Amino acid sequence: MSQQPNTFEAVHATILLKHPVPFAKSSTTIHKRPKPLQFSDVREDGSIMPASFNDETALAKRLGEMEIGKPATYGGLLRDPEGLGNKIFSSFNTHTLPDVTGNTRIIGVLGITDAEADPAVGGWFLSDFFVFWNLMHGCTKIQHWYHCLDLDALVQKHTRYLHGNPYKQRKVVLDDKILQRAKNSGYRPQRIDPGNLRSRVQTIIKSECVAAEKLNENVLVLMFAHGTDTNAIELGGTKIKFELKNMKFALKGLKTPVTLITTQCYGGGWACTPMLNISAMTAAGAKDTSRSWRQSGSCGRYCGSMFVTALVDKLIEDLKTGKPLMDVEDGEDGSVAKPPTQEQWETYSELCYTVFKSVLEDVDRRGYKHEFSFSAQDDAWDMCWRERTGIPLWKYKETWDRLDNWEADQTLHRGDPLNRDPRVTDEERKEYATLRDEYLANDPNFKGKAKAGSIEATGSVLGKRKTSGLYGGGMSSLLAMIKKCGVEYLRTYPGHDDTGDDGALHGHIRWILADRPVTIEVAERTLRQIQYRMEQQAMADRYLEVMDLAPPLGQPCSDFDIRLVRKNVDSKMYNGLKEMIEARPILFPWPNLQDQGRPFNKGRDYLIAAFAKANTLPKEAIQKLDGLVAAVHQGLELSREFHKQIPEVASKRQKFFHSWGIRGGNMSPAKRWSLSGH
């Protein structure tokens, strides 16, 4: 197996800036001292990875496929594709409508737990949540904002949460000042116990939709949480899922105008399901993961999703003229809106078109990888977008401009190929390449080592205790193991650096590869997550041998590109095989969130690919899987008895299990399953 890193296995080399990276001047911009510059496209061996992952041809092709008035060409999912598939929807409404959105009922929900709210882990969902709270609190009378976090502790620990591309100026969307404002607001974000969040959300959606239908009002639901490939939304932890059936129950018998905006992975399932007749705007397709901005170089934080960035850009600008959405008359508070003119009434179809086009042209040079999904309640794409979505007319630009700016990350150069900003100039790219080449020329023996001191000293300061004896008892041994395993893991799972389930782990690995400071706790958790994921892939290979199935494309699980499965396997076959495998949880135990991280489904999908390649009938697949489960049970039992009979092995085994938070080392199937979080 080749150890050569692939194009996504960049290691951050550092060099002190001779000239700080320029940033936009602003009286509200918070400036920081210049820091070492990172070269993100330098591999561990000092070679330069090609910039082919920025596919200009694919970008141009995606833009060329979009047709104004045809939602299906820009993520639109029609409820009646046969009857409306050839219709060209209008871009502008031809008459002025009353402002019905001033009474929209807004429900904002943040689903992550404290364990995931670190800006370097899943905190970008918190950033998205507070983007909308900052923009919308007070714009309508009835609003509910729910979360299950200790916001005081999080702000005290992390100081601030940012939103935007780290290569550009960002916005501070949560800090102590904003938190105090939120506490004193009539629209205070309310903390709910994680175990009660799902039921509270279902209840409030039901009650507000009932009230809205009586008064002919809209309901706008904003969901910021992890999603599963069953299209469920995790509210309060991985075990508690808000599913399509929960929303269906809340809306049963109602015809309320409802719009759902969600950043969850696989959110497109909410837009295309026949179970719900709502308008939906989702950050990912039914088979796709949502994307966050890349990890910052200075402190490793993620700064929100690209989808929300695109929506904000459209909210603070008029969709036609580029002017603010709100025309303002002279008044005491300066915020009285004039009646909108006919020219301001873009349709919902036009809104979706401009949001997607903005991503491709203004937000993300790899926007062709996004699978944003849109649906219109009753297929009313011709309706004024504000009436269809319930998004009220409001002083969004004024509110956005009042938020503090946070300068571009000084360790990142705008010309870096990993900068996804489509507006990077050729001059900036050339400057970056020149600085990088000069650095490498001055250090021909470069091996990915940072020049600004040893991580060992930092580790001993941040974490007083020693690491487990499994790692040699020292921080340097632990980090060396992470680097060795991390490079191999990243080779097996490329292209997932900015997804909800994978971004945090990948960011920590790259952080450690660049010899950046981490605590012992973070380092140990990173290694455990790598081990869990590599074990899943190794088990998948062994499972094919037991079931006498050929490897798909002749490749082991570690080499197989799992993204091919969702694209090439028939949906009905995929879902059927997926249910069969997940009904036998001993095969791929669910991770312990605290130690093993987010779910990892490569092993499962590898088996699905093998079954599909062999055209395995459902009955035969069940027989093979049942035989496999029996073999796994037998193997676990034999292994347990063998280890118990050898004192030295048993002692090491106890230490290993203890490092994973398992007492007694009892790895019976029932215990193994229960400790996996089920």
Side-chain angles (χ1 to χ4, degrees), residues 602-641:
K602 185 176 182 181
R604 181 202 69 192
D605 282 5
Y606 181 70
L607 296 193
I608 291 174
F611 279 125
K613 184 67 176 177
N615 292 318
T616 309
L617 296 175
K619 184 177 180 180
E620 183 183 357
I622 291 174
Q623 292 175 343
K624 285 182 176 293
L625 288 171
D626 285 343
L628 177 61
V629 168
V632 171
H633 276 292
Q634 183 180 18
L636 285 173
E637 185 64 27
L638 290 173
S639 176
R640 184 181 62 167
E641 293 302 320

Side-chain angles (χ1 to χ4, degrees), residues 548-655:
D548 194 25
L549 285 173
L553 302 182
Q555 297 175 333
C557 185
S558 59
D559 291 347
F560 187 75
D561 187 350
I562 211 64
R563 293 168 293 187
L564 299 174
V565 180
R566 284 295 196 104
K567 293 180 179 179
N568 297 331
V569 177
D570 175 76
S571 295
K572 185 176 181 180
M573 173 180 282
Y574 177 89
N575 291 329
L577 290 167
K578 173 176 169 293
E579 291 178 5
M580 292 179 196
I581 296 171
E582 291 182 345
R584 295 158 177 81
I586 194 173
L587 299 179
F588 297 107
W590 199 256
N592 179 314
L593 180 61
Q594 191 64 33
D595 285 328
Q596 298 170 319
R598 298 290 307 166
F600 183 67
N601 296 320
K602 185 176 182 181
R604 181 202 69 192
D605 282 5
Y606 181 70
L607 296 193
I608 291 174
F611 279 125
K613 184 67 176 177
N615 292 318
T616 309
L617 296 175
K619 184 177 180 180
E620 183 183 357
I622 291 174
Q623 292 175 343
K624 285 182 176 293
L625 288 171
D626 285 343
L628 177 61
V629 168
V632 171
H633 276 292
Q634 183 180 18
L636 285 173
E637 185 64 27
L638 290 173
S639 176
R640 184 181 62 167
E641 293 302 320
F642 174 76
H643 287 152
K644 281 185 175 181
Q645 294 172 13
I646 305 178
E648 182 180 356
V649 173
S651 176
K652 292 182 178 180
R653 180 171 171 269
Q654 292 289 338
K655 292 180 180 179

Side-chain angles (χ1 to χ4, degrees), residues 235-251:
L235 297 184
T238 57
K239 299 180 186 178
I240 308 173
K241 298 178 176 62
F242 187 80
E243 300 177 283
L244 292 167
K245 64 182 181 182
N246 297 110
M247 182 69 90
K248 181 180 179 181
F249 175 81
L251 301 180

Side-chain angles (χ1 to χ4, degrees), residues 338-509:
K338 290 180 180 179
T341 63
Q342 291 183 354
E343 290 75 21
Q344 286 178 307
W345 290 109
E346 291 86 358
T347 63
Y348 180 66
S349 172
E350 179 73 2
L351 170 69
C352 299
Y353 173 82
T354 55
V355 167
F356 208 142
K357 189 175 182 182
S358 170
V359 170
L360 296 171
E361 293 185 337
D362 304 321
V363 176
D364 185 8
R365 66 196 295 192
R366 295 198 288 280
Y368 50 84
K369 290 190 173 183
H370 294 286
E371 296 292 341
F372 295 166
S373 295
F374 307 99
S375 65
Q377 192 166 351
D378 299 321
D379 267 336
W381 297 90
D382 277 333
M383 186 180 289
C384 160
W385 70 271
R386 291 182 51 253
E387 186 183 26
R388 180 68 288 166
T389 65
I391 297 175
L393 188 67
W394 185 243
K395 44 190 176 183
Y396 297 114
K397 188 177 189 306
E398 178 184 336
T399 304
W400 188 248
D401 288 344
R402 281 202 302 264
L403 296 175
D404 286 340
N405 297 322
W406 190 262
E407 68 178 23
D409 192 319
Q410 294 270 306
T411 70
L412 302 176
H413 191 286
R414 277 184 53 79
D416 182 347
L418 294 187
N419 181 6
R420 301 177 78 143
D421 184 0
R423 299 188 181 278
V424 174
T425 65
D426 290 338
E427 289 73 19
E428 288 170 326
R429 295 174 186 175
K430 290 177 182 178
E431 182 182 70
Y432 171 85
T434 299
L435 289 170
R436 178 199 61 204
D437 293 345
E438 286 179 356
Y439 173 63
L440 292 178
N442 292 329
D443 188 7
N445 297 318
F446 171 72
K447 294 296 181 183
K449 301 295 184 182
K451 302 301 178 184
S454 170
I455 186 70
E456 182 66 28
T458 305
S460 64
V461 172
L462 296 178
K464 297 296 184 182
R465 66 178 177 82
K466 290 185 177 182
T467 65
S468 166
L470 289 170
Y471 315 126
M475 187 69 166
S476 59
S477 299
L478 171 59
L479 294 175
M481 184 176 293
I482 293 173
K483 291 177 180 180
K484 180 179 180 181
C485 297
V487 168
E488 174 60 14
Y489 161 72
L490 290 175
R491 184 196 68 78
T492 71
Y493 200 57
H496 295 81
D497 286 2
D498 50 10
T499 64
D501 280 344
D502 312 303
L505 172 60
H506 290 207
H508 283 145
I509 294 173

Side-chain angles (χ1 to χ4, degrees), residues 108-126:
V109 183
L110 175 64
I112 61 172
T113 61
D114 284 312
E116 301 172 287
D118 188 316
V121 184
W124 58 280
F125 290 105
L126 178 54

Side-chain angles (χ1 to χ4, degrees), residues 535 537-548 606 628:
E535 179 185 349
Q537 298 183 65
M539 287 194 299
D541 289 331
R542 293 195 294 271
Y543 290 166
L544 290 194
E545 294 177 5
V546 173
M547 294 188 292
D548 194 25
Y606 181 70
L628 177 61

